[in-house]
Amino acid sequence: MKIKNSIGFPSQGELINFIYKAAGVLPRKYGPQDKMDEKTKKTVQKALARLAAEEGNLNNNFGELIRLLSSSLSDHISNQKIMFSIGEVLFDVLEVYKQVLREDGTYFSKKETMKWFLSTYLISRVDFSVKKHLLRFNVLADNLFCPDADWFLPSIHDDGVEYPLTKAMHWAYELCETSHNNFHYPDKSPSADHVRQEQNLENALNWLNGKGLPSLATLLSNFNFSFDTLEKCEDNKSEKIISEDKRESIRIVLFIARASTFIFKEILENYGITYLKEVCDQYRRYAGYLSEEIEPIKAEIESYIISQQLSQLEIDELWYEQIPKFYYQLRNKYICIVKEIETYISSSNTISAAMLDGFIKQHGSWAIISIIDFINRQNSLPFPENFPDFLFKGLELKDAPQVSEKQIEQFGIELKHGQVDIYLPWILDWIYGAFYYRKKQYEIAYPFLKNAFEAAKYCAGKNQYKLVNQYVELAAKNNKRSDFKKGIEWAQFLDIDIRLLRDKEATEENLEYVYSIMKKADYISL
């Protein structure tokens, strides 16, 4: 899937659609193995459409889609700790996505913005989140089988890419102590379902060779059929029977491998082999650094458990309570180090190799290396020509009480002539909206503010605070209740404070109060 080149971050609808495609529960074409019934499919599709149209409570809509995804996955995976971990990781991804929408504007195309987001935020956050929740839910206590380290990353060779699904399938055959041929086509008896076994083997060989990517249901149905067939096969010895622990472990690994294979194939298609290798190397580095931070706390908790007479429930509760506290301390440590390094760089304009080594010895590699990487990426970003000048001038014109309509028109001409208008699709409408607002021509101002609000959502970053508040106010002044509520919902999605509402719950009574006050009061200059 080629990413479109419009300016901005991917929309929330595009994000959740991508997550569903990676999970493999919404295939384009449903086969007999796909367990999602028509009612559930329609519910999911309706929820996806609502989120794409940004209708209703966006946080609730996103949460409902994660719950529906979890429900779909539970048809295939029974381990609750794994399911809880997956859900929490997805909510963490949503949080970092909302953070960058709220704080980081972009002037890149959607494709380049996604690349920046992946390298700057997502890789480190996913590793951080996965490790946190696997520990928090004490998944290791379930004694699941797992491949060697890095199995969920592709291996890049001179002759091509070996994807995680291929690795996972080979591991599954080894775990079952058989070959892929015997696993998928073990029963040669006259009563066997030879057509199904032949088809399963053919499909498996295609997947092993990287041809096509099955839906999750099709993939797991293939393996579940072989589990059962091997158990019933007359030639199979009793010690070769595949235990339920192994079966569940294989299903979990195949799910993760399928999802990561989808993601890495998307990266390769959109950004090429060099960037794919860069992503894998970055993940490995950050994962290694973070493990160094985590090992001491793991050892401390495990030592405490050994010294106490705790039940399994108490052990699980201990991990559940202690890990979030440790990770909270780790995040605070990271924030403090960021301030320390930024202060140092601001005074010396650089950071020497000796000073970097000193920081690492004092604070560890995880925080320092990831912070330096972040700073280097930010400093190396290429600005479109004259972009900062037009941005600052536009914001000044928007706030200038004495600005004239002619000055705004001239700025629009210069913006377009300088070919910067595509990078600031929201600025000119906002200037016009503020201009007519000050003249109390609210009806004229409103279409400009609405256009600016829609254009700014996925690219304006911190500038959204004032813009969203002004849009909500003008919607009230123009009796646009639906748009007023839509602005409130977007603000709540990004955790942007709305004047008069602030931390209050968005009940109908509170919204009606805010709506009635905003119809009368002027706030745009505050």
Side-chain angles (χ1 to χ4, degrees), residues 44 68 350 485 501 503:
V44 171
L68 287 169
T350 186
K485 194 170 182 181
L501 189 62
D503 296 328

Side-chain angles (χ1 to χ4, degrees), residues 480-492:
K480 305 289 186 181
R481 286 182 179 271
S482 176
D483 288 349
F484 168 82
K485 194 170 182 181
K486 192 173 182 180
I488 297 285
E489 286 157 355
W490 179 255
Q492 290 184 313

Side-chain angles (χ1 to χ4, degrees), residues 493-520:
F493 178 67
L494 292 191
D495 297 322
I496 293 173
D497 284 337
I498 292 294
R499 300 184 190 99
L500 302 176
L501 189 62
R502 302 295 179 186
D503 296 328
K504 296 176 184 176
E505 189 177 349
T507 62
E508 289 299 324
E509 182 180 358
N510 287 337
L511 289 179
E512 184 59 34
Y513 167 76
V514 174
Y515 185 81
S516 63
I517 296 297
M518 284 188 171
K519 281 177 69 68
K520 304 172 185 176

Side-chain angles (χ1 to χ4, degrees), residues 390 411-421:
F390 277 103
F411 175 75
I413 293 170
E414 294 171 0
L415 192 69
K416 191 167 185 178
H417 182 72
Q419 297 182 329
V420 184
D421 54 327

Side-chain angles (χ1 to χ4, degrees), residues 8 19 57 69 90 155 174 180 219 222 230 234 288 307 318 342 345 383-384 419 435 446 465 474 500 514 518:
I19 290 171
N57 188 301
L69 176 60
L90 291 178
S155 297
E174 290 177 12
H180 64 269
L219 175 64
N222 188 320
L230 279 168
E234 294 177 2
S307 69
L318 181 67
E342 286 179 344
I345 291 176
F383 277 112
Q419 297 182 329
F435 173 77
Y446 180 67
Y465 171 77
L474 271 175
L500 302 176
V514 174
M518 284 188 171

